[in-house]
Amino acid sequence: MPAARKAPFDALTSALDTIETERRGLDQLAQALRDGLGAPFRAAVSRIREASGRVIVTGMGKSGHVGRKIAATLSSTGTSAYFVHPSEASHGDLGQIQTDDIVLALSWSGDTAELGAILTYAKRFSIPLVAITSNAESELGRAADIGLILPRALEACPNGLAPTTSTTMQLVIGDALAVALIEARGFSAQDFKVFHPGGRLGAQLRFVRDIMHTGAMLPLVRSGSNMAPALVEMSAKGYGCVLVDNADGTLAGIITDGDLRRHMTNDLPTRTVDEVMTRTPKVISPDTLAGEAVQIVERTKVGALIVADDNRRPVGIVHILDLLRTGTV
């Protein structure tokens, strides 16, 4: 009887199979957290939060690459962390680990020989050790003060060998630790900004007050004025709008290009601004993050946002071009 013919290789089918296999692994991880893994996870978060030193992350091979990412995520979200390579540790880098630190060690098998020096050092100086492994009976599992024992899941590799599902699970449990610590510490977007001053993320974390136009740059006319000076002000400032304020300085409304088109008649210059303006414009606070301002612009389809203080007095204006120039968009 002839052997069954294999289906021809298809890259898309392979990709979907990989994603499905790793998704099942994450389902197993979620279920484990609902069951026995939940208690040690809570204990790990509490122990890391209470530590006065840093989180020393370590791991070999693919676990080491994941460990570097976990250390970077922790550091950028308010938990001081540092990656120590296990091979370098036995050649002097153990000196970087202090007694007030806590060690977070990753090894899927738990019997990675290169971790031996760090495990011995942690025990010798009573440094707390949190393990991320799939084998509670391994050298790492037995040495750990807190063991995050991940469920054994099928690797996406067709040979079942290359770390794929396992590293995804390690990465996700690391993210879960970082996010839990963010929430436990009340780490805010303003705190996040301190660690991310550069790039697009840094731009999004700038405040509106840092980029808004103020003072003489504001396109502003008084309620009751004719449209003629409003049109001059609108053209001179170049934001495609003019703000209208009351005698007490509070915001009365805004006139945009759209308002002009809706009221385009021969007598427009002699009409009052109050007849033409939109009385309920979108207003934001100076403490609004630039990234949030972008979302408002995209949602409302406006070209500029009015910045007002707590008493609804206009103090600035932000145009979509300002957000583009700062790299926020």
Side-chain angles (χ1 to χ4, degrees):
M1 185 174 180
R5 298 178 63 180
K6 292 179 64 176
F9 168 75
D10 178 68
L12 180 57
T13 299
S14 175
L16 291 171
D17 287 345
T18 297
I19 293 171
E20 178 60 24
T21 301
E22 296 199 9
R23 186 193 63 77
R24 287 196 297 269
L26 293 180
D27 285 343
Q28 290 179 244
L29 177 58
Q31 187 57 50
L33 281 166
R34 296 185 187 99
D35 297 330
L37 183 55
F41 180 83
R42 286 193 177 98
V45 171
S46 178
R47 198 72 172 268
I48 293 172
R49 185 184 179 191
E50 293 168 359
S52 58
R54 303 163 301 166
V55 179
I56 302 298
V57 186
T58 189
M60 194 70 189
K62 303 299 186 296
S63 293
H65 294 307
V66 173
R68 288 182 186 276
K69 192 275 180 185
I70 292 174
T73 300
L74 289 170
S75 292
S76 70
T77 53
T79 300
S80 180
Y82 188 81
F83 181 83
V84 173
H85 195 285
S87 291
E88 298 295 336
S90 59
H91 293 275
D93 281 3
L94 283 173
Q96 298 182 49
I97 307 175
Q98 304 299 310
T99 54
D100 58 351
D101 292 336
I102 182 168
V103 173
L104 177 64
L106 290 82
S107 171
W108 188 251
S109 70
D111 288 318
T112 303
E114 290 86 350
L115 287 175
I118 290 181
L119 301 187
T120 300
Y121 187 85
K123 286 301 179 185
R124 178 182 176 187
F125 292 101
S126 300
I127 299 170
L129 173 63
V130 177
I132 298 178
T133 181
S134 67
N135 187 358
E137 298 306 315
S138 63
E139 182 181 2
L140 175 59
R142 292 194 302 270
D145 297 292
I146 300 172
L148 300 180
I149 311 303
L150 307 188
R152 293 179 178 271
L154 182 68
E155 299 285 14
C157 165
N159 299 314
L161 299 173
T164 46
T165 307
S166 56
T167 49
T168 297
M169 293 167 70
Q170 288 177 320
L171 185 63
V172 169
I173 199 70
D175 284 344
L177 285 170
V179 172
L181 288 162
I182 289 173
E183 295 178 347
R185 291 194 170 108
F187 192 79
S188 67
Q190 287 84 348
D191 297 321
F192 200 77
K193 179 178 183 290
V194 174
F195 300 106
H196 298 78
R200 183 177 178 186
L201 182 56
Q204 291 179 324
L205 291 170
R206 294 177 68 181
F207 293 105
V208 163
R209 63 170 178 262
D210 299 325
I211 58 176
M212 68 184 185
H213 301 278
T214 62
M217 296 299 294
L218 274 179
L220 191 63
V221 294
R222 181 57 50 86
S223 174
S225 302
N226 287 340
M227 279 298 298
L231 291 169
V232 172
E233 179 77 353
M234 191 171 177
S235 298
K237 299 299 169 63
Y239 301 117
C241 64
V242 62
L243 313 185
V244 181
D245 68 352
N246 297 305
D248 62 0
T250 58
L251 183 67
I254 186 172
I255 299 171
T256 66
D257 290 330
D259 293 318
L260 295 183
R261 287 191 294 272
R262 285 187 289 273
H263 294 85
M264 188 60 69
T265 59
N266 290 335
D267 66 342
L268 178 62
T270 62
R271 299 175 68 181
T272 66
V273 293
D274 304 78
E275 296 176 73
V276 178
M277 70 183 183
T278 296
R279 297 180 179 273
T280 56
K282 182 63 182 178
V283 175
I284 60 174
S285 161
D287 294 326
T288 303
L289 289 173
E292 184 181 348
V294 170
Q295 294 177 5
I296 295 171
V297 166
E298 292 175 341
R299 185 173 64 250
T300 58
K301 308 299 181 185
V302 298
L305 294 170
I306 303 169
V307 185
D309 63 17
D310 293 340
N311 295 315
R312 202 172 169 77
R313 288 190 295 262
V315 295
I317 188 169
V318 175
H319 195 272
I320 180 62
L321 293 178
D322 300 318
L323 300 171
L324 285 169
R325 278 192 291 269
T326 58
T328 307
V329 180

